[in-house]
Amino acid sequence: MPKAVYIHVPFCEQICHYCDFNKFFLQNQPVDEYIELCEMEIKNTISNFPTEEVSSVYVGGGTPTSLTTDQLGRLLEWVKEYFPLAENYEWSVEVNPGSANFDKLQKMQEIGVNRLSIGAQTFDAALLKKIGRDHEPGDVEKTVQQAIEAGFTNLSIDLMMGLPEQTMEQFQETLRQVVALPIQHISAYSLKIEPKTVFYQLWSKGKLPMPGDELEADMYEELRNTLKEAGFTHYEISNFAKKGFESTHNLTYWNNEEYYGIGAGAHSYVQGVRRINHGPLPKYMNAVKQSGFPYREEHQVSKTEAMEEHMFMGLRKLDGVSYTNFYNRFGIEMRSIFSQEIDRLVNDGLLRDNGSSIQLTDHGLLLGNEVFEKFLLKEQ
């Protein structure tokens, strides 16, 4: 029974050079009709797949704050109307420092949003321009201060590392500025060159100078050390939190638990079935109008697939995968399935086994994908 909801707002006022998420330039888009169809999808989804309560909601994009205050307010009100929120829920909205004014922040807080994820990426002005962002470094601090004035007490900042021509000194300065902010959570991801992006076109022509794997690994170590000194706990490969502020919603994914996905291109995992919504706006909107649901693809997850996912999602967490939790979920001992893989990775220094759980080592954190692929099984 899902206890988490993801809502996708696919509109942006500017398209970032690295982004491969489902998004559309805002101008001349049917935003109001899209929001109304999201309500229809929400209503039909909760009717067909009811739940007792929802503990986390995440509104992402695209850029949710590219909507007007009224449009964003209507969408959020429908979330509150149809989904039964738990007493201690977490409700996050992604915020672009360039488009989040005080009225929007106040409206979100009044409706019930209690966490913001602010897309800073870097505090270097030249790098912001290079990656296609439309805000200035000072906009981040301004947004944080306005959010606090609006009543928010749970703020997260998104950072990127390994950007084109990014130096260690630039990254260190970004870290210095981010830990000086009154925030509770930081997500930091390495740049990945994805198809159908501006950066991919440049990279394929040899026109995108990258820092290199060694420097990127050094940045990751700098990140871990700096945030530890600043009082943040490293609880997932890319995520750090002050005590008690770990992301409930993201832990849903890493614990491989079920969740609703609403909106164009959204993914969901409900009653053992993974679904993908149509991404293009016309296809999404027509599907909802015709059938009430926008599914492009549906896949029943087998037990083998579920065990694989449990391993490589769970190993992203610093506390790893528990033997007891694995047995309770699948009715079989983890080592009866993955004994050889675990022993080999322990011997290679990529995993540690403390008897109650397995976890990535410090070296394993740098080579996570190589570890995860070892837990892919042939279908039984």
Side-chain angles (χ1 to χ4, degrees):
M1 187 177 292
K3 292 188 176 182
V5 184
Y6 175 78
I7 313 284
H8 192 68
V9 178
F11 307 109
C12 291
E13 294 167 293
Q14 181 163 322
I15 304 299
C16 300
H17 297 340
Y18 54 84
C19 180
D20 73 329
F21 293 126
N22 194 49
K23 78 282 184 186
F24 309 96
F25 187 60
L26 178 67
Q27 190 172 349
N28 299 322
Q29 295 291 353
V31 179
D32 289 305
E33 186 180 7
Y34 176 81
I35 292 171
E36 291 168 5
L37 291 171
C38 281
E39 182 201 11
M40 185 183 297
E41 186 191 356
I42 291 170
K43 185 177 181 179
N44 293 339
T45 296
I46 202 68
S47 177
N48 271 28
F49 309 107
T51 187
E52 293 178 0
E53 65 177 22
V54 164
S55 57
S56 75
V57 179
Y58 193 100
V59 183
T63 309
T65 49
S66 68
L67 303 183
T68 66
T69 302
D70 177 68
Q71 289 167 339
L72 184 58
R74 279 187 284 140
L75 180 62
L76 299 177
E77 288 284 8
W78 286 327
V79 172
K80 187 167 68 172
E81 178 180 347
Y82 292 108
F83 290 107
L85 297 177
E87 183 177 354
N88 296 314
Y89 68 84
E90 173 193 278
W91 190 347
S92 304
V93 175
E94 288 183 356
V95 168
N96 183 358
S99 61
N101 59 38
F102 184 76
D103 285 345
K104 290 179 187 177
L105 296 172
Q106 193 170 47
K107 171 64 75 172
M108 287 189 279
Q109 204 275 338
E110 289 173 355
I111 291 172
V113 175
N114 55 19
R115 182 178 184 271
L116 301 179
S117 178
I118 303 168
Q121 315 313 349
T122 176
F123 284 76
D124 186 274
L127 282 176
L128 283 172
K129 290 181 180 179
K130 190 170 291 185
I131 66 177
R133 298 293 290 175
D134 61 356
H135 72 270
E136 298 292 332
D139 292 336
V140 178
E141 182 176 4
K142 180 180 177 181
T143 298
V144 168
Q145 293 302 331
Q146 287 185 330
I148 292 171
E149 291 173 17
F152 287 96
T153 58
N154 189 351
L155 302 176
S156 180
I157 295 284
D158 279 0
L159 299 178
M160 297 182 73
M161 54 191 164
L163 298 172
E165 298 184 283
Q166 185 178 29
T167 66
M168 177 62 82
E169 290 72 26
Q170 287 173 316
F171 188 60
Q172 288 171 328
E173 178 59 21
T174 282
L175 292 177
R176 186 192 69 77
Q177 293 193 46
V178 79
V179 298
L181 295 172
I183 59 174
Q184 292 73 39
H185 189 278
I186 294 172
S187 297
Y189 299 95
S190 293
L191 172 66
K192 290 193 171 33
I193 308 299
E194 303 286 1
K196 300 179 182 179
T197 64
V198 172
F199 275 173
Y200 182 82
Q201 299 301 321
L202 293 172
W203 175 80
S204 64
K205 297 173 184 177
K207 296 181 179 180
L208 193 69
M210 302 297 289
D213 292 343
E214 187 174 339
L215 178 54
E216 193 171 322
D218 290 342
M219 288 179 179
Y220 186 63
E221 280 304 303
E222 186 74 12
L223 171 78
R224 295 184 67 204
N225 293 334
T226 300
L227 296 191
K228 182 179 180 180
E229 291 175 6
F232 290 85
T233 297
H234 189 188
Y235 72 100
E236 189 270 347
I237 288 179
S238 301
N239 286 267
F240 305 77
K242 294 289 180 69
K243 186 175 181 181
F245 287 93
E246 296 82 2
S247 170
T248 301
H249 189 82
N250 286 342
L251 283 168
T252 298
Y253 301 142
W254 302 323
N255 290 327
N256 201 28
E257 297 169 349
E258 295 194 343
Y259 56 92
Y260 300 104
I262 303 295
H267 293 223
S268 61
Y269 185 25
V270 178
Q271 295 182 1
V273 178
R274 292 197 181 276
R275 297 177 175 87
I276 302 175
N277 289 358
H278 286 289
L281 279 182
K283 289 190 175 182
Y284 169 82
M285 296 170 75
N286 288 335
V288 176
K289 290 175 186 176
Q290 292 172 11
S291 70
F293 295 97
Y295 306 142
R296 173 176 68 83
E297 183 179 318
E298 298 184 65
H299 174 70
Q300 180 73 49
V301 178
S302 68
K303 184 175 181 178
T304 295
E305 289 172 315
M307 289 190 293
E308 292 172 346
E309 293 170 353
H310 188 86
M311 298 302 293
F312 57 71
M313 295 300 290
L315 282 171
R316 292 190 62 89
K317 299 177 297 177
L318 270 288
D319 60 7
V321 178
S322 158
Y323 281 107
T324 299
N325 288 346
F326 188 95
Y327 181 82
N328 290 341
R329 181 161 184 171
F330 300 109
I332 190 169
E333 296 290 347
M334 189 198 306
R335 275 194 166 273
S336 69
I337 305 294
F338 296 112
S339 182
Q340 289 184 352
E341 291 79 6
I342 293 170
D343 288 341
R344 187 178 301 116
L345 290 165
V346 169
N347 289 336
D348 290 343
L350 300 175
L351 283 184
R352 69 172 64 89
D353 185 346
N354 62 17
S356 61
S357 66
I358 59 170
Q359 303 141 4
L360 291 175
T361 61
D362 286 351
H363 186 49
L365 288 170
L366 298 172
L367 301 170
N369 288 336
E370 293 183 24
V371 175
F372 304 151
E373 68 182 16
K374 299 296 190 292
F375 291 96
L376 294 174
L377 300 167
K378 291 182 179 179
E379 194 70 46
Q380 300 298 314

